[in-house]
Amino acid sequence: MQDVLGPTLRLIRLPHGEGVELPAYETRGAAGMDLKAAVGENEPLVIAPGRRALVPTGFIFEIADGFEGQVRPRSGLAFKHGITCLNTPGTVDSDYRGEVKVLLINHGDEDFAVTRGMRIAQMLITPVVQARIVEATQASETARGAGGFGSTGV
Ligand SMILES: O=c1ccn([C@H]2C[C@H](O)[C@@H](COP(=O)(O)OP(=O)(O)OP(=O)(O)O)O2)c(=O)[nH]1
């Protein structure tokens, strides 16, 4: 059982998510909860080399105000199969009420079959702040100035 106090995450199960395990933290210190694929039982979603696919999770995630969900790849899938998230980290907004989906891409050289319940990615719940956006005419002075992209040397 989790003994950390984070925000409550309400998960609304969609009909095609019936029977798919809830996203879960696999170890006590895991930063991300694993997301499972809600593809059809006998209909694996096959991603050919170089192709991408939007994989359903079967859940709406109601993320608390002041937080976001970050969808990130699993290193094991990346290392073993060249499977990663194309838009990593994917951003799930706290006001989003659609199904969370995972955009996978196959960088490997073989077809990859996503099967029902397969752990395809992980989601971190992270605090966010919104900036107060103000247009200004001049940038303030700093020691760095406009130096960047290696300006401090190696
Ligand atoms: O990996 C992802 C990324 C996004 N989303 C959902 C949740 C997010 O709140 C919504 C919009 O995502 P984003 O802001 O990245 O998309 P956009 O291209 O800016 O589209 P929009 O105009 O809908 O905001 O899509 C996912 O389910 N998975």
Side-chain angles (χ1 to χ4, degrees), residues 62-140:
E62 235 180 80
I63 295 172
D65 266 357
F67 293 86
E68 62 158 332
Q70 290 189 2
V71 181
R72 300 192 194 171
R74 294 188 64 214
S75 63
L77 287 180
F79 178 60
K80 292 180 194 150
H81 304 284
I83 294 290
T84 188
C85 298
L86 178 56
N87 59 326
T88 189
T91 305
V92 180
D93 303 286
S94 64
D95 60 352
Y96 178 65
R97 294 294 177 271
E99 179 180 14
V100 167
K101 295 182 181 173
V102 177
L103 182 53
L104 292 182
I105 183 160
N106 184 354
H107 286 306
D109 41 26
E110 284 173 15
D111 281 0
F112 183 79
V114 177
T115 54
R116 189 169 179 80
M118 178 183 271
R119 292 181 291 140
I120 44 169
Q122 56 187 317
M123 181 190 283
L124 271 71
I125 301 295
T126 316
V128 287
V129 290
Q130 282 188 341
R132 191 166 46 89
I133 299 169
V134 175
E135 184 168 344
T137 50
Q138 222 177 357
S140 61

